[in-house]
Amino acid sequence: MSTPFYVSPQQAMADRAEYARKGIARGRSLVVLQYADGIVFVGENPSRALHKFSEIYDRIGFAAAGKYNEYENLRIGGVRYADLRGYTYDRDDVTARGLANVYAQTLGTIFSSAGEKPYEVELVVAEVGESAEGDQIYRLPHDGSIVDEHGSVAVGGNAEQISTFLDQRHQDGMTLSEALKLAVQALSRDTNGSEREIPAERLEVAVLDRTRPQQRKFKRIAGRQLERLLTAEGAAEVSKAASEAVSDDTSSDSDSDGGSEA
Amino acid sequence: MEANSRGTGRLPAAFLTPGSSSFMDFLAEHQPEMLPGNRQLPPTQGVIEAPHGTTIVSVTFPGGVVLAGDRRATMGNVIAQRDIEKVFPADEYSAVGIAGTAGLAVEMVKLFQLELEHFEKVEGAQLSLEGKANRLSTMIRSNLGMAMQGLAVVPLFAGFDVDRAKGRIFSYDVTGGRSEEHGYAATGSGSVFARGAMKKLYRDDLTEDQATTLVVQALYDAADDDSATGGPDMARRIFPIVTVITEDGFRRLSEEESSAIARSILERRLEQPDGPRAALL
């Protein structure tokens, strides 16, 4: 055996980060937005069975971009963590912050341990509060850092471009229908700036709805309900407003009642 | 992977190991001491005194099932609690009512609820009603050691079977033996009397309202003859807990609804203390 070449720690980490980022970029992006009654998860997903979004606990949802088997593994770990914690203490003691910390530690340890390949995943952990101020959204990149987000967040390959688009247009107190349409518009934009159509059956949508009477606030939206929300009144105004200047889209679509249907 | 990483804040390896979708299986591997069935009891003389819950009744009707329970917990000849709750939602489409040692039963329900929820989250699909009933069976069996010392838990499980589109009832014995009941069922010390009442009143074409009235009638008869079962307590406004499970899911009757049923029954019983009469022939 020949002597191994020296690789500086900086270089090693940069290589690992690059490897993880490339893996994540292969998957499609997804977005998580706050709306008036909670938090909505929207992503393009041709599969009906392999979900990108799922319920972790009563008020906590999970979204992931990247390699399916790796994030599925983390998701189940999170469900086990939350259920065990809720069983040991109380259901109120399971929080998104706690879960995000555990995920961050897990991803961070894997990322920096030489023996393991870094996970090619980017996660979002969101918790819906009693009011919009209590909502929490954490983004967890592959290296185990945590970013505390507000309003909207995008993860995945095209995340930066989508985030910029959302940051300019997202407002507090949007109805579900408005938030959903904005999310779909953001996802329809390709890296080169052109737009394409995403049919409703290729969309995966879930919400954490604080107005839900049940203890468990997570709910999937599909089929007719999704179609209805996507075509609810105000659709034309939103797309018009989105293609024009940012300041225009405030009043015209605020009378849409899509949000109350969920 | 590191074997012992609990201290680092990272998810322990057991959490990320692919395995079964059962929370109880996960506990058994990761923290077996947390499972109620693994608790060791010191050798004791005679029966341990602990509050006991008593009568649970259930009736099916076309389109659903009703599960109800009285509110009394007794410890020997003492009423330990007047407003105990013994009927709980297990998940969206099923409910469990418990008779027996109250402390253990409530814990068992908590674990059972979690077991169903955990499976649903991990698999992305609900267990079949049969599967849920079997899971409860396993849990009762794991309590057998304590049941032998007088700390038995005997639940009644009712749910709406989404596949067959009808309400079903499962009853259990202390060893976990499970049997499906048709029409109506009862468990607990007052169950003998409740069953007698239901036998005379039950028809297979009841409406939901009739079914909820029937279970309260049966609980009244159980309380009438069994000292461990509590009747409606008008002075303290404590009424039986009545739950209905249909295609729309689990619903617990509000206090107004259950008090209205209890009041109308009580009024008629002032005239006719033994309740409604079935035809002789």
Side-chain angles (χ1 to χ4, degrees):
Chain A
M1 284 276 282
S2 56
T3 323
F5 287 111
Y6 171 76
V7 182
S8 74
Q10 286 94 330
Q11 188 57 45
M13 283 304 163
D15 286 351
R16 292 172 77 84
E18 163 119 14
Y19 170 81
R21 266 201 297 270
K22 274 195 177 156
I24 295 164
R26 272 196 289 274
R28 297 208 180 276
S29 304
L30 55 90
V31 298
V32 181
L33 302 180
Q34 277 181 281
Y35 71 100
D37 292 329
I39 296 169
V40 58
F41 302 80
V42 189
E44 188 181 353
N45 186 359
S47 168
R48 295 281 107 212
L50 308 175
H51 297 299
K52 287 169 180 286
F53 313 130
S54 46
E55 172 188 14
I56 297 282
Y57 211 62
D58 295 347
R59 313 184 74 93
I60 304 175
F62 171 95
K67 210 158 179 251
Y68 180 78
N69 70 318
E70 292 178 349
Y71 70 67
E72 178 67 4
N73 202 5
L74 287 169
R75 180 183 78 87
I76 289 172
V79 170
R80 287 173 175 167
Y81 162 86
D83 280 347
L84 180 59
R85 200 172 161 88
Y87 180 64
T88 316
Y89 303 107
D90 185 75
R91 293 194 83 91
D92 285 346
D93 295 312
V94 184
T95 60
R97 196 185 53 81
L99 183 67
N101 271 326
V102 170
Y103 276 146
Q105 294 297 340
T106 308
L107 284 169
T109 323
I110 293 170
F111 182 73
S112 48
S113 107
E116 278 177 272
K117 143 197 140 32
Y119 272 20
E120 298 156 67
V121 293
E122 189 164 10
L123 312 180
V124 175
V125 173
E127 177 176 347
V128 69
E130 293 294 339
S131 66
E133 289 76 51
D135 289 351
Q136 295 170 44
I137 303 178
Y138 299 99
R139 183 166 63 88
L140 296 136
H142 54 86
D143 60 358
S145 47
I146 303 189
V147 191
D148 184 1
E149 303 272 6
H150 293 281
S152 64
V153 54
V155 293
N158 201 10
E160 260 179 53
Q161 197 191 350
I162 296 175
S163 295
T164 324
F165 181 87
L166 286 175
D167 284 345
Q168 287 169 353
R169 286 163 183 84
H170 180 268
Q171 290 156 4
D172 289 341
M174 293 176 109
T175 66
L176 178 57
S177 179
E178 287 165 354
L180 190 54
K181 281 176 230 160
L182 175 62
V184 174
Q185 274 173 12
L187 291 171
S188 324
R189 302 174 77 79
D190 277 337
T191 31
N192 55 16
S194 63
E195 276 198 50
R196 63 202 171 84
E197 184 87 4
I198 306 179
E201 59 269 20
R202 282 179 70 89
L203 281 176
E204 182 181 349
V205 178
V207 290
L208 285 166
D209 180 356
R210 74 177 114 254
T211 62
R212 233 178 158 232
Q214 285 95 329
Q215 191 174 28
R216 294 162 68 184
K217 307 296 181 192
F218 185 88
K219 182 169 169 266
R220 292 188 190 285
I221 296 181
R224 294 224 322 273
Q225 194 187 7
L226 179 58
E227 302 257 358
R228 207 166 59 227
L229 284 168
L230 283 170
T231 53
E233 256 181 69
E237 287 89 335
V238 170
S239 55
K240 199 176 74 205
S243 55
E244 290 171 11
V246 187
S247 53
D248 288 348
D249 61 353
T250 45
S251 58
S252 54
D253 50 2
S254 58
D255 55 352
S256 159
D257 59 351
S260 57
E261 287 168 357
Chain B
M1 276 200 202
E2 301 89 312
N4 178 19
S5 45
R6 274 194 206 186
T8 64
R10 159 181 186 169
L11 282 174
F15 283 62
L16 298 176
T17 312
S20 106
S21 311
S22 161
F23 182 71
M24 288 194 302
D25 290 357
F26 169 68
L27 267 192
E29 267 173 42
H30 181 61
Q31 282 189 317
E33 73 281 1
M34 296 278 289
L35 278 177
N38 288 350
R39 224 166 277 144
Q40 294 295 315
L41 274 188
T44 45
Q45 294 278 313
V47 171
I48 300 164
E49 281 273 295
H52 273 63
T54 42
T55 309
I56 305 292
V57 292
S58 183
V59 170
T60 59
F61 62 93
V65 58
V66 174
L67 184 71
D70 75 310
R71 306 292 292 272
R72 183 173 287 180
T74 53
M75 200 158 69
N77 65 324
V78 174
I79 296 175
Q81 198 182 339
R82 293 174 199 281
D83 62 348
I84 189 174
E85 297 195 359
K86 296 180 254 179
V87 180
F88 305 90
D91 65 0
E92 191 114 16
Y93 289 105
S94 63
V96 56
I98 36 121
T101 316
L104 294 178
V106 170
E107 189 179 14
M108 189 180 283
V109 168
K110 196 176 147 192
L111 188 57
F112 182 55
Q113 288 168 328
L114 194 53
E115 174 77 5
L116 301 187
E117 185 190 325
H118 189 82
F119 183 94
E120 193 188 324
K121 288 191 286 195
V122 170
E123 297 271 319
Q126 286 213 341
L127 272 170
S128 66
L129 193 69
E130 204 89 26
K132 295 174 198 172
N134 284 339
R135 227 38 217 155
L136 189 54
S137 204
T138 313
M139 295 180 65
I140 300 165
R141 203 165 293 132
S142 72
N143 190 51
L144 190 59
M146 281 195 259
M148 301 301 251
Q149 304 208 25
L151 300 177
V153 179
V154 190
L156 199 57
F157 178 64
F160 184 79
D161 192 324
V162 188
D163 301 322
R164 300 193 196 179
K166 63 170 191 170
R168 298 170 74 187
I169 307 171
F170 296 90
S171 71
Y172 298 85
D173 61 33
V174 279
T175 63
R178 179 207 101 166
S179 57
E180 181 164 3
E181 305 275 354
H182 297 281
Y184 55 89
T187 184
S189 64
S191 63
V192 196
F193 311 107
R195 201 176 295 125
M198 289 194 287
K199 186 189 274 179
K200 296 295 176 218
L201 295 176
Y202 178 77
R203 297 194 317 269
D204 53 14
D205 60 347
L206 295 169
T207 64
E208 183 183 317
D209 285 343
Q210 288 172 328
T212 50
T213 309
L214 197 162
V215 289
V216 181
Q217 290 276 21
L219 285 174
Y220 190 100
D221 281 327
D224 211 18
D225 287 319
D226 172 37
S227 63
T229 305
D233 188 338
M234 302 314 274
R236 296 187 182 83
R237 302 194 54 77
I238 301 169
F239 304 102
I241 290 178
V242 183
T243 65
V244 184
I245 308 150
T246 61
E247 203 176 11
D248 298 330
F250 173 92
R251 186 171 80 91
R252 176 175 157 173
L253 261 57
S254 66
E255 199 193 287
E256 288 89 68
E257 290 172 297
S258 59
S259 75
I261 298 173
R263 265 171 212 283
S264 81
I265 287 174
L266 208 64
E267 246 158 55
R268 278 178 279 160
R269 295 263 172 158
L270 291 175
E271 310 273 315
Q272 206 174 13
D274 294 339
R277 293 180 194 281
L280 186 59
L281 275 171

